[in-house]
Amino acid sequence: MTTSERHPAPGIPHEAVPAAEARAALARERRLRVLDVAFEARAFIALAVLVVVFGILSDSFLTGSNLITMTRHVAINAVLALGMLLVILKGGIDLSVGSIVGLSGVVAGELLRGLRIDVLGVVLYPPVWVVVIIAVAVGGVVGTINGLLVTRLRVAPFIATLGMLYVARGTALIISGGETYPKLAGEPTLGNTGFSWLGSGRPLGLPTSIWIMIVLTVAVAVLLARAPFGRWLYATGGNERAAELSGVPVVRVKTLVYVISGACAAMAGLIIASELTSAAPQAGESYELNAIAAVVIGGAALSGGRGNVRGTLVGAFVIGFLADGLVLLGVSTFWQIFIKGAVIVLAVALDQGQQRLQRRRSAASAVVRAAAPLTPAPTA
Amino acid sequence: MTARTAAAQRVPVLSAVDVTKVFGGTRALRGVSLDVLAGRVTALFGENGAGKSTLMKILAGIETPTTGRVLLDGEERRFGSAREAADAGISIIHQELSLCPNLSIADNLFLARERRTRTGGVDRRAQQRAAREVMLRLEEDLDPATPVGDLRLGQQQLVEIARALLQDARVLIMDEPTSALSATEVDVLFAVVRDLSASGVAVVYISHHLDEALEIADDVVVLRDGALVAQAGARDVDVAWIVRQMVGRESDSLFPPRHPTLGDVLLDVRDLVVVDPRSPERLAVDDVSLQVRAGEIVGLYGLMGAGRTELLETVAGRNPVGSGQVLLDGEELRGSIADRIDQGVVLVPEDRQRDGLVQSMSVGRNLSLASIAGLTRRLLLSPPRERAQVAQMVTDVTVKTASADAPIGSLSGGNQQKVVIGKALMTQPRLLLLDEPSRGVDVGAKADVFDLMARQAEHGLAVLFTTSEAEEALHVPDRLLVLARGRLVGEFRRGELTREQLMSVSDGAPTTTTPGATS
């Protein structure tokens, strides 16, 4: 044994683990910690890179009006992604949200066109706020079915919501007969105007859809951070058996996330229908994938229990700004699709990479602790 | 060492040299060196969490050491998998059964080492013949086509043993091979082990049944808190010596005396029958009646598969009652786990990783998880209240943690267990159920856990806990109930029973019918 080994570095008293190994582990732990922080902030870094690159390449990217336009696009995906985040935190997935977007638009279109009740020989024209409530409730009902399939019939979330993807889309096509509902602005004589406010209103100077995104973001953030439901959700996603033995109403939590996700999707469907003042049954096709991508880019684990609102919101901005920036640069549609796919795969790969990194990091710090049991884990 | 040991026999086949193993925040092994000798049975003793299983897994190539080396025939080896170690002649019988219940005895025995016919198919006839032979060697005349799931737990354990025998190993590691075996089955097993040993196989034997292990052993090794603390010839030592080495002090200091003041009967279990949730054709709990009073600590002792866990889980609301009644304070306990927590019944599960903790949450959030609904004000959590209550509980159950925000994985096994217990106590229970509360925790934390139980009982909490350690069973509870094969076979007050009596009682009286026959 050499002298240096008999006198290990300060803070690492020799015990069961040789000092040289402990020192190496400490260095490894420090290096991994830096990497981990970079991984953690990967969504922010990606967004910053996008803004800088597109800002340089295009004169119109960083203008106020373009930022507002892009954020309006982001808002729709963000509303979907916030619901999706809850489902993913539970350890599930919701593939049906894109179809719910289409269905909720169709429901709104049907109601605004007038509800024909043949028995009474009358046509009812419900006011817009009733239309909104009913459409959102329809989304909630689809979500409830998802939830019951998963919790009661124990169908895997992927399969249950894949089924509902088709059922909801089919329902939208059946109700509409495959036709688009035009002119959803309503008529003053019927007292059902105002639907276009969701899409083109600008309270306090910002588009309504952006306000909806902001309000929902705050609501979900408070739900996760301050409501018992949020804690139950993280626990259920992290370890369902432990949660159940701790008295967490696991079935209720698991069902409710799908209900919220469905309602969020319906809200997004209304925003789209309102912006276009028309509702197509095909609206929202493949939107579920954008929402999942936003959540995953935002650092949530598909296995559940890990993820947050901040990350998901940044993820939605990355997806939205990337798509619009590429359009602005005149990149071909085919390449846009290609690039989006690559980004999603990269995001999931990075997520796995981060988890491996964290395991390696805790292994390294375990060795350090084993060498120095009485000194707390060193801080940077 | 004794003179009968010829020098020629002392050939180390497999050696661990200065092996250290770290899991998360726990040091399972600290610089252990051990030689496994050909033709000898080495018995390895230690409490739960002393590092026995970890050391065996490292020797068998299932785990790689954090630091240190494993030598086979004097050469350093790093086994990439259990399969590689098995191919090198090292075979391990696990404490947990690793059988596929849906496959037959023969298929299990030859899993991943199937005998082939000339055309490359599985030679089922050869396998069945060999399977019957090896089972007969263990004196079990069973049809090799029987699905393993249909066998009694003890028979399943014998299949596990048979699988190791078939591999013609040079080193055979047996980790608690007798936990579900009856006394006669143990005798048969020991005869087989002596045969193997005489033919030059090196055997490592781990058991909680100290006298049993001492009977079969040539050499004795004791681990405590991850370190090798004592080594001797089996002829030179007795059970009391082993216990002293395992505990590191006289057992009296680990179990301080108690003078309980008992209240009224709180838990009243009447004629309870519980169907085994894993194999519904047998009964896990077979007509058990018991009572626990407020302020009383009652222990449930039994072998693996005796029905302890199922009994506690039924009271906690995880398993349905087959028949009979479970009364709390004279009223029948009903409803979900959550409902029962509201009524004051909470369970600390046996497997804290799988059932007790949420790894992705902090120490504090794990602590408050079960009582979070009570920490709200107008639907929202009150962070200051939560922080205060968590801090109080960290102090009460003496959790050693850097802060309440530290990840749960950064704590040692003992401190993680205190968090699970603290979580249960935060629900302000009247009846605390603990399933193997000392499993996988070091000696110091173990004493803390029992001290905690005693203090809570002094405040009127009724405590019902299970244990498979005789020392604990004899010294911790005010009253000890012994379960064997789902039936209550004995009830004793503290000090009424010796270790030997406990062992013979818990094997189950031979007159009891097999549980399957009653269903």
Side-chain angles (χ1 to χ4, degrees):
Chain A
M1 195 179 241
T2 65
T3 322
S4 68
E5 274 175 309
R6 237 179 281 132
H7 298 286
I12 314 172
H14 174 92
E15 221 213 21
V17 176
E21 286 195 44
R23 263 199 304 276
L26 185 61
R28 197 158 64 236
E29 205 276 336
R30 290 215 171 115
R31 203 170 57 243
L32 292 172
R33 182 169 347 134
V34 173
L35 254 175
D36 197 12
V37 170
F39 262 93
E40 196 64 53
R42 64 185 184 269
F44 281 101
I45 295 170
L47 185 59
V49 168
L50 283 181
V51 169
V52 170
V53 169
F54 286 131
I56 292 169
L57 293 179
S58 162
D59 295 336
S60 48
F61 186 82
L62 280 179
T63 58
S65 68
N66 184 51
L67 287 177
I68 296 258
T69 307
M70 291 195 302
T71 306
R72 279 174 68 172
H73 297 158
V74 168
I76 290 164
N77 189 24
V79 168
L80 290 170
L82 287 167
M84 187 68 74
L85 169 66
L86 300 183
V87 177
I88 286 178
L89 279 178
K90 184 222 75 168
I93 194 96
D94 189 352
L95 299 179
S96 67
V97 292
S99 297
I100 296 174
V101 165
L103 179 61
S104 104
V106 165
V107 167
E110 188 71 24
L111 291 174
L112 288 169
R113 197 172 66 181
L115 202 58
R116 193 181 304 278
I117 300 181
D118 286 334
V119 188
L120 300 174
V122 296
V123 182
L124 289 179
Y125 294 96
V128 167
W129 63 271
V130 172
V131 171
V132 168
I133 288 175
I134 291 177
V136 170
V138 167
V141 167
V142 177
T144 308
I145 297 171
N146 281 330
L148 293 178
L149 285 172
V150 169
T151 55
R152 299 293 174 193
L153 299 184
R154 311 205 172 238
V155 182
F158 186 93
I159 303 299
T161 59
L162 179 68
M164 291 311 290
L165 176 152
Y166 290 112
V167 170
R169 183 68 68 193
T171 310
L173 288 165
I174 293 165
I175 294 175
S176 63
E179 304 287 329
T180 296
Y181 296 83
K183 288 185 245 157
L184 294 184
E187 285 190 38
T189 50
L190 300 172
N192 64 353
T193 55
F195 186 68
S196 54
W197 179 80
L198 277 177
S200 54
R202 277 182 170 253
L204 302 177
L206 271 184
T208 318
S209 59
I210 296 180
W211 282 115
I212 292 175
M213 171 177 79
I214 293 170
V215 169
L216 256 176
T217 302
V218 172
V220 173
V222 169
L223 184 75
L224 288 181
R226 295 286 303 277
F229 177 83
R231 202 63 69 75
W232 289 340
L233 177 55
Y234 278 106
T236 305
N239 185 348
E240 189 177 332
R241 298 170 64 101
E244 192 177 6
L245 271 181
S246 301
V248 171
V250 169
V251 170
R252 211 188 322 153
V253 169
K254 288 171 73 176
T255 312
L256 209 52
V257 290
Y258 289 102
V259 177
I260 297 173
S261 176
C264 284
M267 196 65 229
L270 291 177
I271 295 172
I272 293 170
S274 170
E275 282 179 350
L276 302 173
T277 61
S278 72
Q282 298 88 354
E285 250 167 28
S286 84
Y287 277 26
E288 62 277 354
L289 302 179
N290 285 339
I292 294 167
V295 174
V296 172
I297 291 173
L302 286 174
S303 50
R306 191 162 59 83
N308 57 51
V309 169
R310 191 185 50 214
T312 296
L313 202 63
V314 174
F317 271 95
V318 168
I319 293 272
F321 279 19
L322 178 70
D324 285 357
L326 291 174
V327 172
L328 218 55
L329 293 183
V331 174
S332 92
T333 325
F334 304 153
W335 275 105
Q336 287 176 32
I337 295 172
F338 180 95
I339 291 169
K340 192 163 93 180
V343 167
I344 292 168
V345 171
L346 191 68
V348 179
L350 286 178
D351 184 62
Q352 290 302 319
Q354 188 186 19
Q355 292 190 33
R356 239 192 340 270
L357 188 89
Q358 282 174 344
R359 271 197 299 276
R360 272 169 53 202
R361 189 183 151 194
S362 56
S365 55
V367 175
V368 174
R369 266 200 311 276
L374 297 177
T375 50
T379 46
Chain B
M1 303 297 150
T2 53
R4 71 178 188 98
T5 318
Q9 277 184 293
R10 317 215 112 237
V11 191
V13 191
L14 188 62
S15 310
V17 182
D18 207 18
V19 164
T20 300
K21 179 73 188 180
V22 181
F23 293 110
T26 321
R27 260 175 307 164
L29 291 174
R30 348 181 166 200
V32 172
S33 297
L34 174 70
D35 286 335
V36 180
L37 306 176
R40 293 183 73 84
V41 179
T42 308
L44 191 56
F45 295 102
E47 302 199 285
N48 284 328
K52 296 170 301 205
S53 293
T54 308
L55 180 58
M56 290 308 105
K57 282 179 182 166
I58 286 172
L59 286 178
I62 297 165
E63 301 271 3
T64 48
T66 309
T67 65
R69 296 177 299 155
V70 175
L71 307 181
L72 180 67
D73 297 323
E75 274 175 57
E76 177 163 7
R77 293 291 290 265
R78 267 192 188 254
F79 300 117
S81 65
R83 181 60 190 261
E84 267 178 49
D87 290 342
I90 303 165
S91 201
I92 184 165
I93 298 165
H94 289 285
Q95 192 172 352
E96 303 89 22
L97 296 177
S98 55
L99 301 169
C100 305
N102 54 329
L103 298 182
S104 72
I105 295 176
D107 287 346
N108 268 290
L109 288 176
F110 291 95
L111 195 61
R113 342 180 145 261
E114 286 80 6
R115 300 245 167 124
R116 299 302 176 109
T117 60
R118 230 168 301 155
T119 52
V122 176
D123 190 347
R124 288 190 180 278
R125 279 167 66 186
Q127 286 194 8
Q128 299 223 342
R129 225 176 11 250
R132 186 176 283 276
E133 260 168 41
V134 72
M135 290 311 290
L136 279 174
R137 200 169 154 201
L138 292 165
E139 297 192 8
E140 287 290 331
D141 188 9
L142 294 168
D143 180 359
T146 317
V148 160
D150 290 354
L151 302 179
R152 276 193 299 109
L153 203 56
Q155 291 172 321
Q156 293 187 16
Q157 204 160 30
L158 290 171
V159 173
E160 187 89 41
I161 292 165
R163 184 158 67 180
L165 295 181
L166 276 171
Q167 290 169 15
D168 289 328
R170 297 167 58 216
V171 179
L172 180 58
I173 299 168
M174 311 175 96
D175 192 354
E176 296 279 355
T178 61
S179 55
L181 298 187
S182 69
T184 36
E185 286 167 332
V186 170
D187 287 342
V188 174
L189 177 67
F190 277 11
V192 173
V193 170
R194 285 196 191 95
D195 274 359
L196 289 172
S197 172
S199 65
V201 175
V203 179
V204 183
Y205 191 90
I206 300 177
S207 179
H208 273 122
H209 300 286
L210 306 184
D211 24 27
E212 186 187 287
L214 199 55
E215 180 194 330
I216 190 81
D218 299 310
D219 302 309
V220 170
V221 172
V222 184
L223 287 181
R224 188 201 317 145
D225 281 339
L228 200 154
V229 292
Q231 219 166 352
R235 294 292 157 95
D236 306 331
V237 301
D238 58 8
V239 169
W241 178 87
I242 295 170
V243 172
R244 263 198 316 278
Q245 301 301 329
M246 279 167 58
V247 179
R249 45 182 156 171
E250 295 299 328
S251 49
D252 295 354
S253 68
L254 184 58
F255 310 113
R258 246 175 68 73
H259 307 285
T261 35
L262 301 187
D264 296 333
V265 171
L266 187 68
L267 176 71
D268 190 358
V269 174
R270 294 183 185 167
D271 310 320
L272 181 68
V273 173
V274 178
V275 173
D276 188 339
R278 273 161 291 275
S279 49
E281 70 283 356
R282 70 178 283 275
L283 297 180
V285 177
D286 188 1
D287 197 17
V288 167
S289 298
L290 63 88
Q291 294 185 334
V292 184
R293 292 173 175 275
E296 187 181 29
I297 298 178
V298 175
L300 268 176
Y301 179 84
L303 302 178
M304 204 169 95
R308 299 164 303 170
T309 297
E310 289 83 356
L311 178 60
L312 289 199
E313 288 188 344
T314 305
V315 175
R318 192 186 220 181
N319 292 335
V321 170
S323 69
Q325 280 183 306
V326 179
L327 308 176
L328 186 77
D329 221 358
E331 280 180 46
E332 190 145 4
L333 261 180
R334 290 176 194 284
S336 66
I337 295 169
D339 295 337
R340 294 182 198 216
I341 288 176
D342 288 344
Q343 291 172 69
V345 179
V346 63
L347 170 69
V348 174
E350 179 179 12
D351 187 335
R352 65 175 166 270
Q353 301 301 340
R354 199 184 56 173
D355 298 334
L357 296 168
V358 181
Q359 290 296 337
S360 52
M361 296 190 359
S362 66
V363 171
R365 292 189 167 197
N366 268 289
L367 271 170
S368 63
L369 180 59
S371 46
I372 200 77
L375 292 168
T376 55
R377 206 168 272 163
R378 287 200 208 116
L379 295 175
L380 293 185
L381 289 173
S382 157
R385 256 175 83 191
E386 184 186 2
R387 264 199 303 278
Q389 295 214 6
V390 164
Q392 181 63 46
M393 193 47 76
V394 166
T395 316
D396 282 358
V397 298
T398 61
V399 177
K400 285 193 203 90
T401 176
S403 84
D405 298 325
I408 191 73
S410 68
L411 301 192
S412 69
N415 282 300
Q416 290 188 9
Q417 182 70 324
K418 289 178 190 173
V419 170
V420 182
I421 296 174
K423 174 176 74 172
L425 291 177
M426 277 186 79
T427 66
Q428 297 177 326
R430 290 190 287 165
L431 170 66
L432 182 63
L433 308 165
L434 303 114
D435 199 357
E436 294 268 2
S438 67
R439 190 183 222 198
V441 306
D442 57 46
V443 177
K446 199 173 285 192
D448 287 348
V449 166
F450 295 137
D451 181 51
L452 195 66
M453 280 162 55
R455 271 189 290 135
Q456 294 296 328
E458 271 165 32
H459 293 121
L461 187 73
V463 178
L464 179 61
F465 80 104
T466 71
T467 177
S468 52
E469 293 217 26
E471 280 303 305
E472 281 174 36
L474 294 172
H475 293 104
V476 176
D478 302 324
R479 198 150 51 85
L480 178 69
L481 306 173
V482 182
L483 276 179
R485 293 178 194 167
R487 285 174 169 273
L488 208 55
V489 293
E491 177 169 353
F492 308 91
R493 309 220 145 261
R494 198 204 317 266
E496 267 183 9
L497 199 63
T498 64
R499 170 185 282 278
E500 289 69 30
Q501 287 167 328
L502 179 60
M503 295 297 170
S504 64
V505 172
S506 60
D507 274 342
T511 48
T512 51
T513 54
T514 49
T518 42
S519 61

